[in-house]
Amino acid sequence: MKLPSKRFADAVVVAPAGRIDQSNADAFKDALAPHLERCAPGEDRVVLDLTRLEYISSAGLRILMLAAKQCKTQGGTLVLAGLQPLVKEIFEISRFTMVFDITSSLREALARASSSALTAFETA
Amino acid sequence: MRVRFWGTRGSLPVALTSDAVKRKVMGALLKAIGKPLATVEQVEAFVAQELAAPQTYGGNSSCVQIDIGGDDYLLCDMGSGARVFANHVMTKGPKKSNTFHVVMSHMHWDHIMGFPFFVPAYIPGNTIIIYGCHEVLESAFRRQHAAPSFPVEFAQLPARIEFVRLETGVTYDIAGVEVRAMRQRHGGDSYGYRFEHQGKAAVYSTDSEHKLEDSAETDEFVEFFQDADLVIFDAMYSLADATTVKEDWGHSSNVVGVELCQRARVKHFCMFHHDPFADDDQLTAVLRDTRRFEEITRGEHPPLEISTAYDGMDLVL
């Protein structure tokens, strides 16, 4: 799976697009793995920009849940941003809003990640 | 085929508190303000219109009846709802003998606790045939009657009681219904059952956890549920809980249930085995959310009817 990413200082913004369901959940997991490995103090903060995500099934939510667990275990920071209304409803109904740190915009997510990431974003 | 729900609560029976009843009465009275309620007929009309939805989900633990109108009775599980079912049978008046077929999902306490209070077991001439896939099928029933748990030993029960071991992958004829079992993920295993009769199919799938990473297992469930008119599904937890703090507790969620039923082109998805910590307001909110989830994820799938099982629910397929 192609998973575009962009760096803002010490934060990496990863932006999945389209649909994540049982058919591509494993590919999403594999594509996300290198970013999660570096999600730790002194390394990267990871922001998942879901602006272009149209749909996510329970299989996809599970991958995000595993990502949150991994980042927490490593002491890292994972923030989700830009959920579209339908995706936001799926998060709310499945109660995953209680599992993740979710912000309404990429700017807010980068501010949550670090001040240097926000500065890099605003001066880019 | 008719499906009647005698017990729908998971893990432990629950009862409404006095305060909860008062809140419900208060809510009904507020709805009644300004309505004409001077006669019994007007009150009945008000109740039929304004209180049409179930006012509580109940109470008793798992017991569901599959009714095809035959002489024998066919039940799923022997939770505390079996006592209410038995009382219903007794109100039909004296009959020389009855035969009860009981298909067991598993032997956990909430699924067998109704049997010591199952009046037909105390009536000579009755036959009770208990079916299941577990090796401990018979010993679990005998054990809960033993001292110090209960004052009447199993061997003292006057009814004729038989135990029949079932296997997965085999279609059985039980009380005129085609029955097929499927192993499910639960502590000590549980088994779901698919019932078919005259072109109608109902699936009873409770106490079943679904591991989202196991696509082969998911496909097996889709095949088991395929084109069913009704799937009774363990939707005890939210997806977030079922995959985090309550992972490996052996239960599933509304979200996974909808996804499976959409893929299997099921007609009616019925949430079952309610969390004993969930009150009526919470269950009503989950029903609303689940219907919305089905709506926004439907895509090319046919519309899926969604309900929350309650004690006393009666569905005709």
Side-chain angles (χ1 to χ4, degrees):
Chain A
M1 173 187 276
K2 196 176 173 185
L3 206 51
S5 64
K6 192 171 181 182
R7 177 171 289 279
F8 294 95
D10 57 353
V12 173
V13 177
V14 183
R19 297 171 63 89
I20 301 174
D21 56 25
Q22 191 173 322
S23 69
N24 62 359
D26 286 342
F28 174 56
K29 184 183 178 186
D30 293 343
L32 196 57
H35 301 292
L36 298 178
E37 282 171 13
R38 293 193 302 275
C39 184
E43 296 188 67
D44 293 343
R45 288 91 195 282
V46 176
V47 173
L48 285 177
D49 178 6
L50 305 183
T51 310
R52 294 192 299 139
L53 185 68
E54 296 164 5
Y55 169 80
I56 186 163
S57 75
S58 59
L61 288 169
R62 176 181 165 272
I63 302 303
L64 292 183
M65 185 272 295
L66 291 174
K69 269 188 186 174
Q70 181 180 345
C71 293
K72 188 178 179 186
T73 303
Q74 295 169 183
T77 299
L78 174 70
V79 186
L80 273 54
L83 280 66
Q84 294 304 299
L86 187 144
V87 172
K88 190 179 176 196
E89 272 199 87
I90 293 173
F91 270 71
E92 287 167 350
I93 290 168
S94 58
R95 307 288 186 261
F96 269 73
T97 43
M98 302 169 83
V99 176
F100 297 104
D101 186 2
I102 299 174
T103 61
S104 57
S105 68
L106 180 57
R107 184 189 179 282
E108 194 183 337
L110 287 165
R112 191 80 57 89
S114 78
S115 56
S116 57
L118 178 61
T119 303
F121 175 72
E122 291 188 324
T123 56
Chain B
M1 184 185 290
R2 187 176 172 191
V3 180
R4 308 180 76 178
F5 295 78
W6 300 99
T8 59
R9 186 66 61 165
S11 303
L12 195 69
V14 300
L16 279 177
T17 62
S18 174
D19 280 348
V21 173
K22 283 178 187 171
R23 282 197 298 275
K24 288 176 187 294
V25 172
M26 181 80 179
L29 290 173
L30 287 171
K31 281 183 181 176
I33 292 173
K35 301 278 171 60
L37 296 171
T39 66
V40 170
E41 290 74 21
Q42 287 175 331
V43 171
E44 284 176 346
F46 169 78
V47 169
Q49 186 174 345
E50 299 292 335
L51 307 177
Q55 299 303 302
T56 187
Y57 295 95
N60 279 300
S61 66
S62 302
C63 183
V64 173
Q65 181 185 5
I66 307 294
D67 185 358
I68 60 164
D71 289 337
D72 292 1
Y73 295 98
L74 174 56
L75 295 174
C76 303
D77 283 335
M78 269 282 149
S80 64
R83 182 188 63 81
V84 187
F85 162 79
N87 292 347
H88 168 76
V89 172
M90 300 305 288
T91 61
K92 287 184 164 184
K95 190 181 167 191
K96 192 175 176 185
S97 63
N98 282 305
T99 299
F100 302 85
H101 304 263
V102 186
V103 177
M104 296 298 303
S105 66
H106 64 312
M107 304 297 115
H108 282 168
W109 191 31
D110 54 319
H111 293 257
I112 63 173
M113 61 168 50
F115 190 71
F117 305 94
F118 190 62
V119 174
Y122 296 83
I123 298 174
N126 281 341
T127 299
I128 302 168
I129 308 173
I130 300 172
Y131 306 81
C133 301
H134 291 80
E135 193 178 330
V136 295
L137 178 68
E138 182 168 351
S139 60
F141 276 88
R142 289 184 174 276
R143 191 178 65 173
Q144 79 169 342
H145 271 270
S149 297
F150 200 71
V152 183
E153 290 285 342
F154 188 92
Q156 293 176 283
L157 296 172
R160 195 177 82 187
I161 302 169
E162 301 172 15
F163 292 88
V164 177
R165 287 281 301 284
L166 304 179
E167 294 176 9
T168 58
V170 179
T171 301
Y172 297 91
D173 182 333
I174 300 176
V177 180
E178 286 183 17
V179 183
R180 189 156 57 96
M182 178 178 176
R183 191 172 71 83
Q184 304 177 136
R185 196 183 288 271
H186 193 69
D189 290 342
S190 70
Y191 291 84
Y193 294 94
R194 182 180 174 107
F195 302 92
E196 295 191 39
H197 179 71
Q198 292 183 348
K200 296 293 181 183
V203 175
Y204 179 73
S205 178
T206 192
D207 295 68
S208 176
E209 183 167 358
H210 296 267
K211 292 288 187 184
L212 303 173
E213 66 271 31
D214 191 338
S215 59
E217 182 183 283
T218 302
D219 290 346
E220 281 182 51
F221 274 97
V222 170
E223 189 275 331
F224 195 63
F225 291 179
Q226 193 66 49
D227 296 317
D229 297 277
L230 172 70
V231 169
I232 301 163
F233 189 86
D234 171 359
M236 192 168 180
Y237 302 135
S238 68
L239 178 63
D241 275 353
T243 53
T244 56
V245 291
K246 292 170 182 171
E247 187 178 17
D248 296 326
W249 286 24
H251 298 286
S252 191
S253 67
N254 55 340
V255 167
V256 168
V258 168
E259 288 182 347
L260 286 171
C261 288
Q262 283 174 330
R263 282 188 59 194
R265 305 181 78 81
V266 169
K267 292 186 181 67
H268 186 157
F269 167 66
C270 181
M271 293 183 282
F272 185 76
H273 204 270
H274 313 311
D275 189 340
F277 291 99
D279 63 22
D280 289 330
D281 290 343
Q282 288 169 304
L283 291 174
T284 299
V286 169
L287 175 59
R288 187 182 58 236
D289 284 352
T290 309
R291 285 175 171 161
R292 176 64 182 155
F293 180 76
E294 186 276 332
E295 188 182 354
I296 63 177
T297 61
R298 186 180 301 157
E300 301 298 313
H301 301 289
L304 175 64
E305 185 177 352
I306 294 176
S307 62
T308 298
Y310 58 90
D311 294 12
M313 188 178 186
D314 191 346
L315 298 175
V316 178
L317 307 184

